[in-house]
Amino acid sequence: MKKLTATILTAALAFGLMACGSESAEPKKPEAETAPETVQEAEPEGEEDKKVIAVLPQSMAQEFGADVVSAVEKACDSYGYECIVLDPDLDLSTQISMMEDLIVQKVDGCIFSAIDTTSMGAIVEELKNAGIKVVDFDCTVDEGNADASIKSDDYQGGYLAASILMEKVNDPQATIIVYGTSSTIGTGYLRNSGFHAYMEENYPDVTIVETRPSEGAGTRDGCRTWAVDMLTAYPEAKGFFTFYGDGAIGTYFGVKDNGREDITIVGYDASAEQQEIMIADGSGCILQASVAQYPKMMGRMAVETMKELFEGTYTKEGAEDIIYIEPGVLKAEEAENYEEKE
């Protein structure tokens, strides 16, 4: 690439933009045979036999996490499972502590998105050793030791984002600002890697400035301030890419604060709020597109896979055996007709 500015600030992200507890009650023993004239009806399954599934998104304050949880709750209800929702609120130690408590509670399953993908393999192993089935989603643990893993194809999503952004920017020598990731966010790394790969293959003369906020990293307000600072430092910039939903919305408002209607933003998660912004602003919205991960589909699939784990009909073949969801895209000109896949 002709120019490459990599200004990765040192501030660590608070969150690092991813199933089943101890064995449930023993199966009922077959009843002793009775005389032909005596008919005994099977007793209904009691509350003590109900599977208990805990779900831990990174944060319920993020629209993506809330959407996954709502789908998990709906799917659990359809299968007769009890669903426990826990919110670590982007705090790694809190998430690990909550997962340790699940062992004491003897839940049957745990569905979670890792706040730190590099360090949570140990707690996953503890859950499994306690007989709890584990499904990780979106931000999956690097060791790949969950019983099942479900995520969007992050590399493909970043590649797709770059192609859409450059189609809109239409300048082979433009300056593009990318929200930087860290080693603890595997999804962000893959999305940015896909973005860079597309640029290197198709726009080698583009200047990419990849940075992250010194304060408020991972938050909407932090990203808003970051966008203002980036446009002050690089007024020639023509586009932004942010690899998570709140980052896209924060960037949108930061660019608006600068009065820059000539900027093109491509974000991630295709949330309902992003769709509302696009509809309100019309086809000329500076938030031109957002890569869709389909969180409701992800949540439903997590519970369906959990059910297969309970029944013994699904077995993960190795760390690289991941259930992928092909990413889609929400575009400003099509926002009114966009529908979330469930």
Side-chain angles (χ1 to χ4, degrees):
M1 189 172 288
K2 184 176 180 181
K3 302 178 183 177
L4 176 61
T5 304
T7 314
I8 308 298
L9 303 184
T10 58
L13 205 60
F15 61 104
L17 199 116
M18 294 210 277
C20 291
S22 56
E23 295 296 324
S24 58
E26 293 182 1
K28 295 179 181 179
K29 297 179 181 178
E31 296 177 354
E33 292 186 5
T34 57
E37 66 273 12
T38 303
V39 178
Q40 290 186 329
E41 293 184 1
E43 293 181 2
E45 194 172 284
E47 286 297 313
E48 67 274 8
D49 297 316
K50 180 180 287 189
K51 298 288 189 185
V52 179
I53 312 298
V55 56
L56 298 86
Q58 290 188 349
S59 171
M60 285 295 289
Q62 295 177 339
E63 192 169 359
F64 176 84
D67 284 348
V68 171
V69 167
S70 68
V72 167
E73 290 178 311
K74 181 178 179 181
C76 281
D77 184 64
S78 70
Y79 290 130
Y81 300 155
E82 179 182 347
C83 182
I84 300 173
V85 179
L86 301 173
D87 183 8
D89 195 24
L90 298 176
D91 186 86
L92 175 61
S93 61
T94 299
Q95 187 175 47
I96 291 176
S97 177
M98 287 176 168
M99 293 169 78
E100 289 172 338
D101 288 343
L102 296 179
I103 297 173
V104 178
Q105 296 173 38
K106 297 184 178 180
V107 303
D108 298 292
C110 175
I111 298 172
F112 81 104
S113 179
I115 290 175
D116 183 344
T117 63
T118 65
S119 67
M120 297 190 69
I123 184 62
V124 168
E125 210 59 38
E126 288 182 36
L127 291 170
K128 291 169 60 179
N129 289 339
I132 299 173
K133 302 295 184 186
V134 182
V135 175
D136 56 0
F137 69 90
D138 187 32
C139 287
T140 57
V141 176
D142 289 352
E143 287 92 331
N145 59 337
D147 293 301
S149 298
I150 301 172
K151 64 187 301 182
S152 173
D153 188 332
D154 294 310
Y155 187 90
Q156 182 184 354
Y159 198 93
L160 175 63
S163 68
I164 296 170
L165 180 61
M166 292 312 297
E167 178 185 346
K168 300 296 182 180
V169 169
N170 194 29
D171 181 351
Q173 295 183 323
T175 295
I176 304 297
I177 300 173
V178 175
Y179 188 97
T181 186
S182 78
S183 60
T184 63
I185 316 171
T187 53
Y189 174 79
L190 288 170
R191 292 168 194 174
N192 283 5
S193 294
F195 188 92
H196 282 290
Y198 178 86
M199 291 298 194
E200 290 170 1
E201 293 171 14
N202 299 279
Y203 291 92
D205 293 330
V206 161
T207 297
I208 293 182
V209 181
E210 183 170 344
T211 73
R212 59 192 293 104
S214 57
E215 294 182 5
T219 68
R220 186 177 297 190
D221 288 343
C223 209
R224 183 173 186 164
T225 301
W226 168 79
V228 172
D229 292 343
M230 288 301 97
L231 287 178
T232 300
Y234 302 94
E236 74 278 12
K238 293 189 176 180
F240 280 83
F241 170 60
T242 57
F243 65 80
Y244 70 106
D246 276 3
I249 293 174
T251 298
Y252 168 83
F253 285 111
V255 172
K256 283 285 190 180
D257 290 344
N258 265 23
R260 293 289 301 272
E261 296 296 330
D262 59 324
I263 297 294
T264 298
I265 302 168
V266 174
Y268 230 89
D269 292 341
S271 67
E273 186 174 355
Q274 292 178 53
Q275 183 180 13
E276 291 168 4
I277 288 172
M278 292 177 185
I279 292 173
D281 289 0
S283 60
C285 180
I286 59 173
L287 179 56
Q288 271 290 298
S290 184
V291 177
Q293 296 196 84
Y294 306 121
K296 293 179 181 178
M297 178 188 295
M298 195 175 292
R300 172 181 58 79
M301 290 175 63
V303 179
E304 290 175 351
T305 306
M306 181 69 73
K307 183 174 184 290
E308 293 178 8
L309 289 170
F310 287 144
E311 296 172 347
T313 57
Y314 175 82
T315 301
K316 190 174 184 180
E317 296 181 356
E320 302 303 318
D321 183 9
I322 296 173
I323 301 171
Y324 281 108
I325 296 174
E326 184 177 356
V329 61
L330 163 66
K331 295 182 179 181
E333 64 264 30
E334 302 169 354
E336 289 191 10
N337 299 317
Y338 175 81
E339 294 185 3
E340 167 78 17
K341 290 183 181 180
E342 299 185 20

